[in-house]
Amino acid sequence: MGTTSENKGIRLMAVFTAAMTLVLILAGGFVTTTATGDTIPTWPKTWGHMEAGWIVEASHRFVAATVGVLVLILAVWLQRKESRAWVRGAGWIALGGVLVQALIGGLRIHTAHPVPVAIVHACFGQAVFCALVGVALLVSRTWSRTPAAPSAWNVGFAATAAAFLQLVAGAVTRHTGAGLVVHLAG
């Protein structure tokens, strides 16, 4: 197997997949903003009784399906061409994250209390996006040429943890209408 630094195609695919995942997150946010999350009451199907606004939710589902296919292609491509086992593993973990995210989205539709599930769906979607950005970073030329100092790992971990807690506060605020003060304090 060749190294990823030799394979521009994998790098471009990883960046494109991460970018499409960002589009998916924005589409999901639009579903929440327009309150159209229950306009298609079936999952994984997208037909049945459809109310006004169904195109917003359907678009989110179609982009999600596209991202799922892209992540599958990326994981298989990494498996075939990437020499580092841990990078190949990261591709499969990202694919697993996408599948879990799809199940959480389906659960949100079929649960009697969708708000807590919607919060988990929002936060986990961001985590999947971060995983895909991570894969894109791991296969970049910069990653292979620039060694990270051990202290950078600690700062990076702390910053990531703080940002994730802020994300959770924002998701709770958005999905419950809770006081904005918690989110702003973060």
Side-chain angles (χ1 to χ4, degrees):
M1 282 188 250
T3 64
T4 308
S5 62
E6 299 168 357
N7 197 330
K8 184 178 180 182
I10 288 178
R11 289 193 305 273
L12 292 173
M13 180 65 171
V15 169
F16 180 70
T17 302
M20 283 301 296
T21 305
L22 179 59
V23 170
L24 174 58
I25 288 170
L26 294 173
F30 194 56
V31 168
T32 301
T33 298
T34 57
T36 54
D38 294 323
T39 56
I40 304 174
T42 57
W43 182 88
K45 298 176 182 177
T46 56
W47 50 82
H49 175 69
M50 294 186 207
E51 299 172 9
W54 69 269
I55 192 71
V56 175
E57 187 177 358
S59 297
H60 177 62
R61 291 186 191 190
F62 295 146
V63 174
T66 301
V67 167
V69 170
L70 290 172
V71 176
L72 175 63
I73 291 168
L74 180 61
V76 170
W77 199 347
L78 287 168
Q79 184 65 38
R80 296 191 59 194
K81 298 292 183 180
E82 175 57 53
S83 61
R84 298 168 291 175
W86 61 280
V87 176
R88 292 191 308 268
W92 291 115
I93 288 169
L95 179 61
V98 168
L99 295 175
V100 169
Q101 178 66 350
L103 292 173
I104 295 169
L107 179 62
R108 185 252 172 259
I109 292 166
H110 291 293
T111 187
H113 305 288
V115 171
V117 181
I119 292 168
V120 172
H121 186 62
C123 294
F124 195 73
Q126 304 278 339
V128 170
F129 171 65
C130 290
L132 288 164
V133 168
V135 170
L137 175 65
L138 293 174
V139 298
S140 71
R141 287 186 190 147
T142 303
W143 180 266
S144 61
R145 285 190 263 171
T146 310
S151 61
W153 286 97
N154 294 336
V155 170
F157 180 77
T160 302
F164 190 76
L165 291 175
Q166 178 66 8
L167 168 70
V168 171
V172 169
T173 300
R174 172 129 183 182
H175 286 280
T176 65
L180 189 58
V181 106
V182 173
H183 186 54
L184 291 175

